[in-house]
Structures are given as structure tokens and as C-alpha cells.
Amino acid sequence: MNYTFSKYTEGLRSSAVRDILKLTQGKSIISLAGGLPAEDFFPLDAVRASFERVFEKGKSALQYGLTEGYTPLREAICERMAAKSMHIQPDNMLITTGSQQAIDLLARVYLSPDDVILVENPTYLAALQIFQAIGVQVIGVDADEHGMIMDDLEDKLKLYKPKLVYVIPTFANPTGKVWSLERRKGLLDKCKRMNVLILEDDPYGEIKFDTRAVNPTIFSLDTHPEDCTVVYTSTFSKTVVPALRTGWVIGDSRVIQQMTRAKQAADLHSSTLDQQALHQLLTHYDLDAHIVTIREEYHKRMLRMKLLLSDARFADLRWLEPQGGMFFWVELPASIHSSELLKLAVQEGVAFVPGTDFYAENPKHNTMRLNFTHTAPEHLGSAMDRLSAALTAYRQQV
């Protein structure tokens, strides 16, 4: 059979993270690659009890559901959003199969081939996969530790006249940066003035190490929910468990209606069984207390990795201390290509993600992302010993 695939497939790229995860399966490799939460802190008993409560409702719990999502769950999320100064109704929300689907659905209904979008450079590689697959031009905006540089943003808004700006302003993937309030307001003001939609991706916002820190969502800073310049998406994958694959997206009802139609065509609805279980969990389990627990544990793991990176063996590496989230973004000496370093690292028994695939353009080959949340503190020392050995082997062969 001579298979002839669509032009859509020409833009599809394999995920570097997924490829590395497959590479490490079944091997004695410490993986610092995936954005994985710590399994030791999954609320197993609470999740099990939540599903049992759903089954107690009988066979009706196993029926098809609304494309928009299970109404009691949407109402519960509205209450959680109100605590972040985001005041919405269920009609402004769509439940998605992870926040990844929210990005995909918005891209399908809002972007056309040859449209231009702006992203922070580097940014989330799976979002780049979506944008590149549908054929839009992705332009990177220069950034520093406080977020997008406003002068460069202004120049590129005027030059390219983009349709959308995609950002992760709070504990970004891959850099771990948190945008300043000034930069958040600056992005909002410029996009509102030029009628450019902002897609705010916020999977890590609740994993903050300084509980006194205030990082308002860009959505909360705008008039909302109607006529809002911002579409906001988040997920329970990092705060409950990834396997439920439950996220949500909020915005102007006109945008949500179009995304709902696209979702109906794609999969009818996300798993109603999982949605009902999640609603039971939010009703009967103290999720906020659980988030405090994982914040504290992830903070300890981050500080452990920070201490190890501060060792003399890594003196020529550059990084910023994360204020939350899951990642260290590390800059290696210019002579080192992280994709080549990874091959040696795997031989030593440790894995990370090379930074190249996170760039929309002009990739820096001497960058890498390290995850600190999944590996237990007692194993982080071994992981960094192995990374050091790989760096030594790399320097010896060049």
C-alpha cells in the first residue's frame, strides 16, 4: 500500500521528552527528563475513594456526558478560580483532556496556516509541536529572568502583526521563570491595544515555594470573562495525578463555544468517569492541604539540586534558582552540545532534556532542562554524580 499522508503530518515532530522517556524505560537510569510529579505523593487512597463514590451512583455514572464537561466539576473549578480573582461561570469553561488539548483546540479554531504567533524563546516544546503542525509561523521574543522583554515584544507586534501570543508566565516550562507584574501588565496592555489574543498556560502556578509571593494570572488582570484578551488553561496533572488527564480552559464564551465544537468533532468529551471522580475528590478531599505538602517536598528537592549544582564540578554551568514549578534551566559552556552530552549521560545512567527543541528559532545548543520533582532527594546525588561523569567524558573527547 502506498500511503499518502496529509500536509498536516509534515509539521508533526516527535517529542524529545517522550523519546527520552522511552529510552529510559526498563533501564537503571535516573531520569531528570520528564516533567513528572513525585509518585510517592499521589493521593492514592483519596482517588480510590473518589471512584468508589462514583460507582455508588450506579450505571448512569458510566453514560456519555456533555462535551463542555461534567457540570458539578466545572462549578467546583469556578470556585477555585474565584480564589485567584478569576470570576467565571461554567459557560466560560471547557473541560479538556489535559491542558495540552486546550492548546490544540484553540489553535484549531483561532489560527490558520501562515498566521503568525509570538512565544517566549525558549518555550514549552509540545505547544511548539501543535503550532508547527498546523503551519503557523512561530516567532520567538527575547526574554530575561523577568519575562518577555517589552521592547522586543513591541517591535515584533508591529512587524509581524501576530494573531496570538502564547506564554507560561508563572514557573515556565522549561526555564522556571516567573514574570514580574510589570511584564504581565505590559503584555496585556500591548495585546489589548493591538487586538492580539493571549493564550496563558498555567500548569505550575500552584507549585510556588514562597507562599507570600503573589503572581496574578494575566487573565485576572484583564476585563473578564467576556471580551477578555486572554484565554487561560490549567490542569490537575501536577496537583492531583497526571493519569486523570483532566484540564480546563476559560475565556470569552464565544471562544469557548468554538473550542467546544472542535472538541465535539475530536472526541465528543473527555472521560466523564474521571471527571466525576475528580469532582468527588474536590468535594471530600482537602486538595489545598495536599498542594501545601507537595510544595514543601518539591522545595526540598529543588534546594537539594541547587546545592549539587553549586558544587565546584559544575562551576562553569549557569542557572537561575526556580521559585516554583519543576525545572532547572541550565546553560552549559558554549563548546558543549547538550544533545551529544545526553548520549554520554545515558551511558552513565542519567537522562535530561537537551534544550534545543524548546526554541522557536535560533536554538542554543548548550542548554538543558533538569527536572527536580520526580527523583527522590536521596537519589539526586547519584544523578548529579553521573551527570558530572558525562561532562568529564565529553570534555575528554573534544
Side-chain angles (χ1 to χ4, degrees):
M1 178 68 189
N2 182 22
Y3 296 105
T4 55
F5 294 103
S6 70
K7 288 187 68 64
Y8 175 80
T9 62
E10 295 175 8
L12 294 175
R13 299 288 183 271
S14 180
S15 166
V17 175
R18 296 292 135 190
D19 291 344
I20 293 167
L21 288 175
K22 285 191 289 186
L23 181 69
T24 60
Q25 289 296 309
K27 298 180 181 179
S28 57
I29 293 177
I30 302 175
S31 179
L32 308 177
L36 306 179
E39 293 161 17
D40 290 345
F41 294 89
F42 286 167
L44 180 61
D45 291 340
V47 172
R48 180 188 292 114
S50 296
F51 275 98
E52 289 173 351
R53 290 190 183 94
V54 173
F55 288 127
E56 288 172 1
K57 294 162 63 176
K59 295 178 181 179
S60 63
L62 306 181
Q63 190 54 274
Y64 285 111
L66 297 174
T67 301
E68 292 85 349
Y70 184 54
T71 301
L73 175 60
R74 285 187 289 147
E75 291 172 343
I77 295 174
C78 286
E79 293 179 10
R80 293 188 65 82
M81 293 295 94
K84 296 184 176 184
S85 300
M86 295 188 283
H87 304 286
I88 55 170
Q89 300 298 320
D91 286 347
N92 299 107
M93 179 187 300
L94 173 65
I95 301 296
T96 57
T97 304
S99 56
Q100 181 74 14
Q101 188 183 46
I103 301 170
D104 181 71
L105 292 174
L106 183 64
R108 289 174 184 269
V109 303
Y110 205 75
L111 301 173
S112 300
D114 301 324
D115 278 342
V116 176
I117 70 168
L118 303 182
V119 301
E120 189 173 357
N121 206 29
T123 193
Y124 177 44
L125 64 84
L128 289 177
Q129 285 180 293
I130 290 172
F131 300 138
Q132 291 163 350
I134 64 175
V136 301
Q137 183 181 5
V138 185
I139 303 295
V141 177
D142 294 339
D144 59 21
E145 66 271 25
H146 304 297
M148 281 183 174
I149 296 172
M150 291 294 104
D151 286 345
D152 192 50
L153 173 65
E154 178 86 23
D155 290 344
K156 287 172 178 172
L157 284 169
K158 292 177 179 177
L159 178 62
Y160 294 103
K161 297 178 174 53
K163 191 81 179 287
L164 179 142
V165 179
Y166 169 76
V167 294
I168 314 171
T170 308
F171 317 131
N173 180 1
T175 62
K177 296 176 185 175
V178 54
W179 285 34
S180 68
L181 179 59
E182 179 184 8
R183 300 285 177 89
R184 293 169 193 252
K185 290 181 175 179
L187 172 67
L188 178 59
D189 290 344
K190 294 177 191 300
C191 288
K192 182 181 284 289
R193 175 163 38 88
M194 299 186 69
N195 195 44
V196 178
L197 189 66
I198 298 168
L199 174 53
E200 180 179 14
D201 194 2
D202 187 29
Y204 310 101
E206 294 196 282
I207 307 175
K208 60 180 180 179
F209 301 146
D210 182 356
T211 55
R212 299 166 299 176
V214 178
N215 304 312
T217 66
I218 301 172
F219 186 94
S220 71
L221 299 173
D222 194 15
T223 301
H224 66 269
E226 301 301 321
D227 291 318
C228 192
T229 311
V230 185
V231 172
Y232 170 96
T233 184
S234 189
T235 178
F236 288 106
S237 293
K238 307 301 187 290
T239 54
V240 184
V241 292
L244 289 175
R245 301 303 302 129
T246 304
W248 68 95
V249 58
I250 59 178
D252 182 284
S253 59
R254 293 165 293 180
V255 178
I256 297 302
Q257 285 170 9
Q258 293 291 349
M259 294 178 69
T260 301
R261 291 169 184 164
K263 180 172 174 62
Q264 194 169 53
D267 64 2
L268 297 183
H269 59 74
S270 297
S271 166
T272 55
L273 185 63
D274 291 344
Q275 291 180 59
Q276 291 174 82
L278 185 50
H279 174 250
Q280 291 294 329
L281 185 138
L282 293 177
T283 302
H284 298 280
Y285 179 69
D286 191 344
L287 178 59
D288 291 321
H290 173 69
I291 290 172
V292 169
T293 298
I294 60 175
R295 278 177 183 166
E296 292 175 349
E297 178 61 27
Y298 292 171
H299 191 199
K300 291 176 186 176
R301 296 184 183 201
M302 183 279 291
L303 291 174
R304 175 63 174 154
M305 184 173 281
K306 173 190 170 184
L307 179 64
L308 293 163
L309 281 169
S310 301
D311 188 272
R313 296 174 298 172
F314 305 112
D316 55 356
L317 275 54
R318 299 290 177 264
W319 42 269
L320 292 174
E321 179 178 340
Q323 302 304 304
M326 294 186 162
F327 308 111
F328 273 92
W329 180 248
V330 179
E331 185 172 326
L332 301 152
S335 60
I336 296 179
H337 282 233
S338 58
S339 57
E340 295 300 316
L341 176 63
L342 175 62
K343 298 174 185 177
L344 297 172
V346 170
Q347 292 177 16
E348 295 290 343
V350 65
F352 59 84
V353 183
T356 307
D357 287 343
F358 294 97
Y359 287 88
E361 52 188 356
N362 305 316
K364 292 185 178 180
H365 298 280
N366 61 322
T367 54
M368 63 180 177
R369 191 190 74 178
L370 303 178
N371 169 266
F372 55 80
T373 58
H374 183 250
T375 303
E378 60 268 24
H379 298 309
L380 282 174
S382 295
M384 300 308 286
D385 287 344
R386 297 175 187 188
L387 181 59
S388 175
L391 282 164
T392 298
Y394 187 100
R395 292 183 174 106
Q396 289 174 346
Q397 71 178 19
V398 295

